[in-house]
Structures are given as C-alpha cells and as structure tokens.
C-alpha cells in the first residue's frame, strides 16, 4: 500500500451480507467486504470466502491491483475481456454493413455464373 501511496484513512470499509453458497454462516454474518478508495473513486466488493477477515485481505489486494492499473494505464485481463465483448456486441457501422452487402452480392454473382452449361435449343 505504501508503494502506491494508498493510506488506510483514504479507504472506506463496509461489511454487508454476502450471497451464494456458505449456508447459515453467509445468512447470519456480514462476510462481504466493500471498499471505497475516496481519492480515486474506485469501489471493490469481495465475497469469495466465508471468512470476513480473509475477504478484507482479498478486497484490499483487488483494490490495490485496480489502483496500480489505473496509475500505470495498463488494462487488466478482465478489463480487456470485457472490452472485447463490448466490441463484439456493438452494432456495425453503415460503411461496414454496405461493404459486407457488396461482398455478398459479388459472391452471389460469382456463384450464379458457375451454373451448368445448357445446350441452346433455339439453334436446332
């Protein structure tokens, strides 16, 4: 934390009830940890483990990774995967659609010219 210049007083910590597997422990104890780093505005939620102490540690590690990625400008693997999915789902531009349709028409013409040669019955 010192290396990144993150101070403990800059982090706001909250405990909430986790969801998912864990049985009675998850239903009774607030094991989910939510951390908010005020200077950067990054919020992290961790509910991987059944133990609150372990989730606090893991949440801090995740928060520091995100802060480091923001400072260095390097995208994490998770962010890269999310960006790739966003690119795949977005609509095609007009130009891309027109180019695709032109290619389809061109391909259809090529295939249409491949038809079998029929004898001409008018000359007989």
């Amino acid at each position: 934390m010192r290396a990144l210049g993150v101070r403990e007083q800059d982090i706001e910590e909250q405990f909430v009830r986790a969801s998912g597997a864990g049985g009675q422990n998850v239903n009774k104890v607030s094991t989910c940890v939510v951390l908010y780093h005020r200077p950067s505005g990054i919020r992290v939620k961790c509910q991987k483990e059944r133990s609150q102490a372990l989730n606090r540690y893991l949440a801090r590690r995740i928060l520091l990774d995100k802060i480091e990625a923001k400072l260095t400008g390097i995208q994490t693997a998770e962010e890269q995967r999310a960006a790739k999915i966003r690119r795949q789902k977005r609509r095609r531009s007009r130009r891309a659609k027109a180019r695709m349709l032109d290619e389809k028409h061109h391909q259809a013409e090529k295939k249409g010219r491949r038809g079998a040669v029929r004898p001409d019955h008018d000359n007989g």
Side-chain angles (χ1 to χ4, degrees):
M1 286 176 69
R2 247 185 259 125
L4 291 173
V6 177
R7 298 180 315 181
E8 193 63 42
Q9 53 265 39
D10 291 341
I11 297 174
E12 191 177 298
E13 190 173 44
Q14 234 182 341
F15 302 102
V16 294
R17 291 226 179 110
S19 62
Q24 189 176 10
N25 183 60
V26 166
N27 297 332
K28 289 175 74 176
V29 183
S30 296
T31 55
C32 181
V33 178
V34 179
L35 296 180
Y36 176 63
H37 186 244
R38 286 186 214 101
S40 65
I42 296 174
R43 187 177 302 272
V44 170
K45 186 175 182 180
C46 182
Q47 60 181 17
K48 289 180 184 173
E49 302 295 330
R50 289 178 60 184
S51 158
Q52 187 183 78
L54 199 51
N55 281 335
R56 285 182 74 193
Y57 171 74
L58 292 172
R60 276 175 172 66
R61 277 188 39 190
I62 294 168
L63 179 69
L64 291 174
D65 287 344
K66 286 194 173 196
I67 290 171
E68 185 178 20
K70 189 174 183 179
L71 289 175
T72 58
I74 299 170
Q75 279 190 326
T76 63
E78 180 66 26
E79 288 172 340
Q80 287 175 347
R81 191 182 63 77
K84 181 179 179 183
I85 290 171
R86 262 196 310 279
R87 282 194 306 273
Q88 288 173 343
K89 285 187 174 183
R90 76 175 170 217
R91 296 179 68 158
R92 283 194 176 95
S93 67
R94 283 187 184 161
R95 180 177 284 164
K97 278 184 191 176
R99 196 178 314 130
M100 183 184 66
L101 285 174
D102 286 343
E103 185 59 37
K104 279 188 170 188
H105 291 308
H106 178 70
Q107 196 68 20
E109 284 177 22
K110 279 196 322 193
K111 285 186 130 188
R113 284 185 247 135
R114 289 184 194 156
V117 178
R118 295 188 190 101
D120 199 9
H121 295 291
D122 296 338
N123 294 348

